[in-house]
Amino acid sequence: MINLDHWRDIAQTLTRHRLRTLLTAFGVFWGIFMLVLLLGAGRGLENGVTTRFGGIENVVFIWSAYPTQRSLAGLAVGRRITLSEADVDAINARAEGLRRVYGINRVGSWGSAQYVTRGAQSGSFGVKGTHPGLDQVENLQVLNGRYVNALDMQQKRKVAIIGTRVRDVLFRADENPIGASITIYGVPFQVVGVAGSFDPTENANNDLETIYIPNRTLRYAFNQVDRFNNLLLLVAPGADAREVEQQVREILRERHKIHPQDVGVLGSFNGQEEYEKFLGLFAGIRLFSWIVAIGTILAGAVGVGNIMLIVVRERTREIGLRKALGATPRAIVSTIVQESLVLTALSGYFGLAAGVAVLEAISPLFATNDSFRSPEIDFATALLALAVLVLSGLFAAWLPAARAAAVNPIIALQDE
Amino acid sequence: MIKLEAIHKYYGTAAQRLHVLKGIDLHIEPGEMVAIMGSSGSGKSTLLNIIGLLDGFDRGQYQLDGKRIHRLRESDAARLRNRCIGFVFQSFNLLPFKNALENVALPLFYQNVGRRQRNARAQQYLEMVGLGNRGTSMPNQLSGGQKQRVAIARALVTQPKVLLADEPTGALDSVTTGEIMALFRQVHQQGNTLVIVTHEADVAARCQRRIVLQDGLIASPALEHTQM
Ligand SMILES: Nc1ncnc2c1ncn2[C@@H]1O[C@H](COP(=O)(O)OP(=O)(O)OP(=O)(O)O)[C@@H](O)[C@H]1O
Ligand SMILES: [Mg+2]
């Protein structure tokens, strides 16, 4: 029975207790407002971290870490495993859910800088092997020239893509580095590209101080033909990176006769695991936000229920009269429920609107922030919040409505 | 119209039971105007509430307008009250935040009558009780007699079969009481059935028939009728 008169009645009762109505409405308002802010902030953190990860969830690195500590098939302990071309072939042949395996090498030991000269200029930079198409995985964006291509690999061309810091050290601002020659550890290379980094973390600095050369060239020019420093596994979309890693470990264990419990021999970095750690963290934050906010909303709803209880008590006589005049319990219940829904829905709506407005207002402030980016609340979540609200409105109405429906007109109308 | 047979009513729990009505037999024909009298606590209001479907009874038979009333569900009782019965109370019971016209129109709201029609009919009944020009007055702007007139208009607006009044003049002075009784007589002459609970002998005297309750039973039926 939704009716203009009902709404007028509702407005009348709510405005008759203006202060009480406002205070209660504020409770619900605050609950929804906080929910929106908390969820928005959680989302902002999540957005920040997601851009930082940028596709790393599909990347697994495996390398030979420690000498063997357990013997298998009569082999002595203390062996060092070397990852080779044959391993790559075996993995490519046997592992499932894998888009591609790349062997990666570096000049010098892990990340150690190499002496690089260009004419009179010189500097120390990391030198890293790469493959065509890995610019995305390396978080690189080619600003000038090009990235490594298939022909470079095939012909073992001595070409290099340099980070912008490398360019800044080796070249003057008015010089075009493309086509210029630089010497890495005594071997001349031709610069074919300049790359910036879109890695939003401090790693970007490393990337920009690195020189990327075709991995095959690196192995032949710097005497690493027999080995790879590490393997880069690109997991096929939809496949489970952890499972892929296990498969690959299995293959390597078998090929190199590593004891199954000798886990330290192969080191690995699994992007998905890292990614999931964060996802778990964000799920936790989200859950926490919901718990806090639902608690607040419920507290608000209890307030609404309270005011409705008072209203029902104050209107016992009126309710009794309405019943005597022919109001069914359902009509009475519907009035109370509507009043409480109006109160929760209206104040909740304002809370939602205010929360979204605040998120919109602060969002530009974080536009350039690495770890916190575009706090927002999506439509589905907003709807869910609204559903919680409506439910809490019903919850709030339940007791007072039951009270109202149970009013005995004889007693309510008794003359004192 | 109203047919009560051996109606018993108890109040309280099984341990401490109060036998309020001890076998009431009462027939009220359509168009009758009946006064119920009796000392305080004799069960007049209880009887009226049972007739008005506000209260149940423990034993006996009740027929209202040919329908047997027995353990009605609350919502059915509400609907029946709305269509068949009009109530007038001692303390008027007008809703203070609604004006006279809205108060009269209220029962029609529970019949889902549209607003326009509701107000038209309410206006018609306000005119009938002589308050056609006071529709927009709030209850606190009306005198006791005027309030009771509004209440009577409200009781009549659904064109009920029976009008029940519990001490309708209890809060009014004698002049106003006379006016209200004149109005009841007018209503009666239009063919309505009225049952009026009263303490006042002169009010009872203006009814067609008097019933005296004594200790939960109808006493002295011989004195019942007056010629009107
Ligand atoms: N809800 C109730 N619970 C218990 N006892 C009740 C209840 N209502 C009435 N009674 C008792 O039933 C008896 C009859 O009450 P009732 O109100 O019908 O009397 P009455 O004749 O209308 O009296 P009055 O002239 O004072 O209005 C009284 O003794 C009263 O105390
Ligand atoms: Mg009484």
Side-chain angles (χ1 to χ4, degrees):
Chain A
M1 259 211 281
I2 291 171
N3 190 296
L4 199 68
D5 297 70
H6 255 123
W7 295 107
R8 284 206 320 173
D9 278 2
I10 291 168
Q12 242 166 5
T13 23
L14 293 183
T15 46
R16 250 187 297 164
H17 312 281
R18 194 163 296 141
L19 180 65
R20 208 153 59 192
T21 303
L22 277 179
L23 286 176
T24 3
F26 184 75
V28 173
F29 168 90
W30 194 248
I32 286 284
F33 181 71
M34 287 312 288
L35 175 70
V36 171
L37 282 197
L38 281 169
L39 287 179
R43 188 56 176 277
L45 276 175
E46 192 171 345
N47 285 344
V49 170
T50 320
T51 39
R52 187 197 290 219
F53 267 87
I56 201 171
E57 67 267 28
N58 292 321
V59 175
V60 179
F61 290 98
I62 292 190
W63 59 89
S64 164
Y66 295 101
T68 57
Q69 293 183 352
R70 302 187 65 150
S71 109
L72 188 77
L75 291 169
V77 297
R79 271 186 310 134
R80 226 173 228 294
I81 301 304
T82 307
L83 299 174
S84 67
E85 202 105 42
D87 291 321
V88 170
D89 292 342
I91 291 166
N92 269 330
R94 291 168 55 189
E96 282 166 25
L98 200 56
R99 206 166 76 207
R100 185 78 201 266
V101 192
Y102 297 95
I104 304 284
N105 294 60
R106 282 170 169 275
V107 180
S109 55
W110 278 96
S112 69
Q114 302 302 312
Y115 190 59
V116 177
T117 59
R118 185 242 159 193
Q121 313 293 328
S122 68
S124 287
F125 308 107
V127 179
K128 201 172 170 184
T130 188
H131 294 258
L134 284 189
D135 43 343
Q136 284 288 330
V137 176
E138 299 275 12
N139 283 324
L140 293 179
Q141 187 181 12
V142 175
L143 303 174
N144 291 315
R146 63 174 178 84
Y147 201 65
V148 169
N149 63 28
L151 224 53
D152 297 335
M153 302 295 284
Q154 201 188 332
Q155 301 179 359
K156 301 188 288 256
R157 285 177 176 166
K158 295 197 175 63
V159 294
I161 290 86
I162 60 177
T164 49
R165 295 273 175 88
V166 178
R167 176 197 62 193
D168 294 342
V169 172
L170 297 183
F171 296 90
R172 285 200 316 271
D174 59 333
E175 285 178 313
N176 182 9
I178 308 292
S181 173
I182 58 175
T183 306
I184 303 169
Y185 209 69
V187 181
F189 279 78
Q190 188 187 27
V191 176
V192 294
V194 177
S197 172
F198 56 80
D199 189 334
T201 67
E202 315 73 51
N203 281 344
N205 295 336
N206 276 335
D207 295 346
L208 298 177
E209 288 175 5
T210 299
I211 297 170
Y212 300 87
I213 60 178
N215 199 65
R216 194 145 176 264
T217 312
L218 187 153
R219 287 167 63 212
Y220 282 90
F222 298 100
N223 196 25
Q224 300 184 18
V225 181
D226 61 328
R227 65 176 188 270
F228 291 119
N229 281 159
N230 60 279
L231 301 182
L232 164 62
L233 312 175
L234 287 190
V235 177
D240 182 356
R242 227 164 327 185
E243 210 171 278
V244 171
E245 184 189 331
Q246 280 316 312
Q247 282 185 50
V248 170
R249 277 176 172 272
E250 194 68 44
I251 292 166
L252 294 176
R253 244 190 335 253
E254 192 187 308
R255 289 178 48 77
H256 295 277
K257 301 197 166 44
I258 304 167
H259 192 283
Q261 280 161 18
D262 208 349
V263 288
V265 175
L266 296 173
S268 71
F269 169 90
N270 193 319
Q272 179 175 311
E273 268 169 27
E274 298 299 304
Y275 189 64
E276 277 172 2
K277 263 183 225 162
F278 276 101
L279 289 190
L281 178 68
F282 292 122
I285 290 177
R286 229 177 351 246
L287 182 69
F288 173 75
S289 310
W290 275 102
I291 289 173
V292 168
I294 285 179
T296 323
I297 293 172
L298 283 188
V302 167
V304 172
N306 204 25
I307 184 181
M308 294 313 295
L309 265 184
I310 295 171
V311 164
V312 165
R313 191 169 316 141
E314 283 178 354
R315 288 166 65 192
T316 306
R317 196 178 185 90
E318 177 195 333
I319 291 166
L321 175 76
R322 285 175 183 272
K323 283 185 138 187
L325 296 184
T328 56
R330 240 181 82 185
I332 301 285
V333 164
S334 114
T335 309
I336 303 295
V337 167
Q338 282 180 50
E339 276 177 29
S340 121
L341 277 183
V342 164
L343 197 56
T344 36
L346 216 60
S347 38
Y349 173 76
F350 281 116
L352 202 66
V356 170
V358 168
L359 287 184
E360 295 270 302
I362 62 167
S363 189
L365 305 180
F366 295 99
T368 57
N369 195 298
D370 289 346
S371 47
F372 192 87
R373 183 163 287 187
S374 49
E376 63 195 355
I377 177 162
D378 54 40
F379 191 63
T381 314
L383 277 187
L384 203 59
L386 222 61
V388 168
L389 192 68
V390 170
L391 275 183
S392 61
L394 288 176
F395 169 81
W398 178 66
L399 188 59
R403 282 275 172 85
V407 163
N408 181 346
I410 300 172
I411 293 170
L413 291 174
Q414 245 160 20
D415 298 308
E416 300 312 323
Chain B
M1 179 61 57
I2 295 165
K3 206 164 165 188
L4 298 172
E5 274 166 18
I7 292 289
H8 287 259
K9 174 71 179 174
Y10 300 90
Y11 273 125
T13 55
Q16 213 176 357
R17 227 152 59 137
L18 192 62
H19 200 169
V20 180
L21 299 181
K22 302 174 179 170
I24 300 283
D25 293 303
L26 179 61
H27 292 207
I28 295 174
E29 301 300 324
E32 267 198 293
M33 182 170 178
V34 177
I36 298 177
M37 299 188 72
S39 57
S40 189
S42 56
K44 305 182 296 291
S45 297
T46 306
L47 180 59
L48 203 70
N49 288 337
I50 289 173
I51 294 174
L53 308 177
L54 288 173
D55 209 346
F57 47 91
D58 296 293
R59 259 188 289 147
Q61 301 273 337
Y62 174 24
Q63 276 188 15
L64 173 64
D65 195 25
K67 256 192 299 290
R68 184 160 172 259
I69 305 297
H70 185 68
R71 298 204 185 285
L72 287 180
R73 280 187 310 165
E74 212 187 320
S75 50
D76 293 332
R79 269 181 279 263
L80 214 51
R81 270 202 302 274
N82 186 244
R83 277 191 287 113
C84 296
I85 292 165
F87 285 101
V88 177
F89 307 92
Q90 178 177 355
S91 51
F92 325 128
N93 283 321
L94 300 180
L95 295 187
F97 50 90
K98 288 186 180 294
N99 66 29
L101 189 75
E102 290 167 331
N103 265 291
V104 175
L106 190 60
L108 295 175
F109 175 75
Y110 293 108
Q111 288 186 359
N112 295 323
V113 177
R115 181 180 186 77
R116 195 182 299 253
Q117 208 193 337
R118 243 172 25 224
N119 286 349
R121 272 165 71 178
Q123 180 61 33
Q124 185 190 330
Y125 278 88
L126 269 182
E127 275 160 20
M128 194 206 109
V129 300
L131 292 173
N133 57 346
R134 300 301 299 270
T136 54
S137 300
M138 300 308 277
N140 60 8
Q141 298 168 323
L142 298 172
S143 72
Q146 287 170 331
K147 282 185 208 169
Q148 198 59 303
R149 282 166 188 274
V150 172
I152 291 170
R154 180 179 64 189
L156 291 173
V157 77
T158 56
Q159 297 172 309
K161 302 212 160 58
V162 182
L163 191 72
L164 303 178
D166 197 346
E167 315 223 19
T169 58
L172 303 175
D173 62 43
S174 57
V175 176
T176 322
T177 297
E179 287 169 13
I180 293 295
M181 284 317 292
L183 182 56
F184 276 134
R185 298 275 300 248
Q186 186 193 332
V187 170
H188 172 233
Q189 265 145 29
Q190 286 166 4
N192 288 296
T193 310
L194 283 86
V195 180
I196 300 171
V197 167
T198 184
H199 271 116
E200 297 162 67
D202 50 338
V203 168
R206 301 191 67 175
C207 295
Q208 224 176 3
R209 177 148 78 109
R210 279 166 301 283
I211 290 160
V212 179
L213 279 191
Q214 208 165 47
D215 200 19
L217 282 167
I218 294 180
S220 58
L223 297 175
E224 268 185 19
H225 283 268
T226 356
Q227 222 45 53
M228 290 187 82

